[in-house]
Amino acid sequence: MMKKHFIGALVALSLSCPVLAEDGTLDQAANGYILLCAVLVLLMSIPAIGLFYGGLVRAKNALSVLEQCLAVCSIAILFWLVAGYSIAFSSGDHLFASFSGNLDKAFLLSVNSDSLSGALSEYTFFIFQAAFCAIASCLIVGALVERVRFSALLIGILLWMLLSYAPLAHMVWGGGFIDSTFAAYDFAGGDVVHINAAVAGIVGAYMLGKRSDLGKINLAPHNLTLTYIGGGMLWLGWFGFNAGSELTADAISALAFINTAIAPAAAALSWMCVEWIMYKKPSTLGTVSGVLAGLVAITPACAFVGPLGALVIGIAAGVCCVWGVHGFKRLTGIDDSLDVFGIHGIGAIIGALLTGVFCAPSLGGAGFKGEWTSIGGQVYGQFMSIVITVIWSGIASFIAFKVAGLLTGGIRVSDETEREGLDIAVHGERGYNL
């Protein structure tokens, strides 16, 4: 009986909400909804991820993290205007059409107030996707904090957007190679945003080397209150990130919304319980990290799995990402400062693979994609999309940071600057004047 009422409610919602128009006209309700979602996604970059990361570093570097996120976000939006949007979402008959669009939409010169993307103003679709590029780029900052040269960071991430983010967005969402060949599900950016950024972060961290005082002194977070606030704002913004990716307000966006509540709640509690068992104390940092792990894991799946699937994905993400921030770091020896790969990489891989399981109709999912007819087939498609993303982003990120280092005299600050702290040495300011 409850199931019938739930299905009836979803049907009623889908009938009462605006859907994409089929007559080539602007759907004003859907357009307004996506503009609101774009605001929420932009909130994830400024100030949410800055606060989350800023609280995790030492006080002498807190302001530098905020500045890095602000500058990277600004560059991402302008890059999306100049070329990124066109590379990702234009199409044409050229040699590399499966991997990149063309420049027909560069600077939005071919777009005007009458241009539509489905039933949305193309301006709306542009800014919504620009916000995705911005948060993906800001995620990379967390792996490199406390010792990266500011100019090298900006140039390296700009080149990564050009070489990795925009092409992968085309391959997954623009009808390119990954989508057409492997029919992999990625509703809101498991591959494009999280795995892509996590690989860039760990490649950059490897190239930078470890912080000079890692293992010698206590590098504990200086202000977990900021991290808690940033984590809460990220969760809020993520509703726009996931539910908005349906591009209209219908039953699917409602499903994505509730899954974006269920999975992080489950991951927060599973992380907390694991930590409680292993370390005898449940920490606020662990629980808020669990929220982030669950948000990452549900991102590719949120419209394709039912609430039960979201629950399992969240639990799995919380457990696996505890290993990601402890075991994986010990295994590789790479100083991924704020565990970008441990949470965003591991979480997104878990979520992408389990999307292939819980999309099965027998498990309450939306069904298989393309020509896949089984869980095994869909999981294979998901796995191949992960492999391609890791390889593509790894190569592109290495090239991006290598070129950035050559242009700026190295990607790492001097030992003296690192000891003094980036706030004063690089920006001439203090985060705190007490």
Side-chain angles (χ1 to χ4, degrees):
M1 182 64 70
M2 289 182 65
K3 184 176 181 181
K4 290 182 179 179
H5 285 311
F6 175 70
I7 294 174
L10 288 182
V11 171
L13 178 63
S14 67
L15 292 175
S16 63
C17 288
V19 297
L20 291 179
E22 296 179 355
D23 59 357
T25 59
L26 177 69
D27 186 329
Q28 293 183 349
N31 198 69
Y33 168 67
I34 299 305
L35 284 173
L36 176 60
C37 289
V39 171
L40 291 174
V41 181
L42 287 168
L43 178 76
M44 295 169 69
S45 295
I46 305 299
I49 196 65
L51 292 174
F52 186 87
Y53 283 165
L56 291 174
V57 299
R58 288 167 289 177
K60 65 181 182 179
N61 294 311
L63 200 64
S64 73
V65 175
L66 301 182
E67 171 64 11
Q68 288 166 9
C69 289
L70 179 59
V72 165
C73 176
S74 301
I75 289 173
I77 291 172
L78 295 184
F79 164 76
W80 205 244
L81 169 68
V82 173
Y85 176 68
S86 191
I87 293 170
F89 291 106
S90 65
S91 60
D93 186 16
H94 57 89
L95 184 61
F96 301 105
S98 292
F99 303 97
S100 173
N102 51 42
L103 295 178
D104 288 351
K105 296 176 186 273
F107 290 97
L108 295 183
L109 292 177
S110 63
V111 178
N112 57 48
S113 57
D114 295 322
S115 302
L116 296 179
S117 178
L120 300 176
S121 165
E122 192 162 5
Y123 287 141
T124 299
F125 184 68
F126 163 84
I127 194 58
F128 184 65
Q129 291 297 333
F132 275 61
C133 181
I135 183 59
S137 303
C138 288
L139 292 178
I140 300 170
V141 170
L144 314 176
V145 293
E146 299 198 306
R147 79 273 201 201
V148 67
R149 189 186 297 271
F150 186 58
S151 57
L153 174 77
L154 301 185
I155 294 172
I157 292 182
L158 174 60
L159 291 174
W160 172 82
M161 295 178 211
L162 176 65
L163 299 175
S164 190
Y165 184 86
L168 277 169
H170 179 79
M171 284 188 264
V172 174
W173 294 329
F177 177 69
I178 292 176
D179 182 52
S180 62
T181 306
F182 297 107
Y185 277 136
D186 186 5
F187 188 69
D191 283 324
V192 178
V193 175
H194 295 288
I195 297 175
N196 193 5
V199 170
I202 204 165
V203 168
Y206 172 78
M207 295 174 71
L208 274 172
K210 297 179 181 180
R211 286 167 287 182
S212 60
D213 45 12
L214 181 67
K216 300 175 183 177
I217 64 172
N218 185 9
L219 301 182
H222 88 283
N223 192 335
L224 285 178
T225 303
L226 290 182
T227 298
Y228 175 88
I229 294 170
M233 294 178 72
L234 282 170
W235 196 349
L236 174 66
W238 226 289
F239 288 110
F241 192 81
N242 283 354
S245 291
E246 173 65 358
L247 301 181
T248 191
D250 60 10
I252 302 302
S253 62
L255 176 63
F257 191 104
I258 66 171
N259 284 343
T260 306
I262 292 169
L269 294 179
S270 66
W271 188 307
M272 182 187 75
C273 290
V274 169
E275 196 173 58
W276 208 339
I277 293 169
M278 292 178 61
Y279 306 112
K280 309 305 179 185
K281 292 182 180 180
S283 72
T284 303
L285 176 57
T287 307
V288 75
S289 296
V291 167
L292 191 57
L295 289 167
V296 170
I298 201 59
T299 292
C302 56
F304 309 125
V305 305
L308 179 60
L311 175 65
V312 177
I313 289 172
I315 293 171
V319 173
C320 293
C321 288
V322 172
W323 177 83
V325 303
H326 295 290
F328 180 80
K329 187 174 276 188
R330 287 195 300 269
L331 184 67
T332 62
I334 298 174
D335 184 17
D336 176 359
S337 306
L338 305 182
D339 300 303
V340 174
F341 193 88
I343 294 178
H344 294 273
I346 300 297
I349 289 170
I350 294 298
L353 292 175
L354 290 181
T355 301
V357 176
F358 289 100
C359 71
S362 60
L363 297 175
F368 304 111
K369 186 176 181 182
E371 297 183 0
W372 299 125
T373 58
S374 67
I375 290 176
Q378 189 67 60
V379 170
Y380 171 76
Q382 302 298 119
F383 175 76
M384 290 305 299
S385 72
I386 294 167
V387 170
I388 293 166
T389 301
V390 169
I391 294 173
W392 187 285
S393 183
I395 295 172
S397 302
F398 180 83
I399 294 171
F401 286 115
K402 192 69 175 178
V403 172
L406 293 174
L407 292 176
T408 60
I411 60 175
R412 182 166 182 151
V413 299
S414 67
D415 290 344
E416 182 181 354
T417 296
E418 188 176 348
R419 284 193 299 271
E420 183 179 2
L422 274 61
D423 286 7
I424 288 293
V426 176
H427 303 290
E429 299 171 301
R430 293 185 188 275
Y432 303 92
N433 289 295
L434 300 177

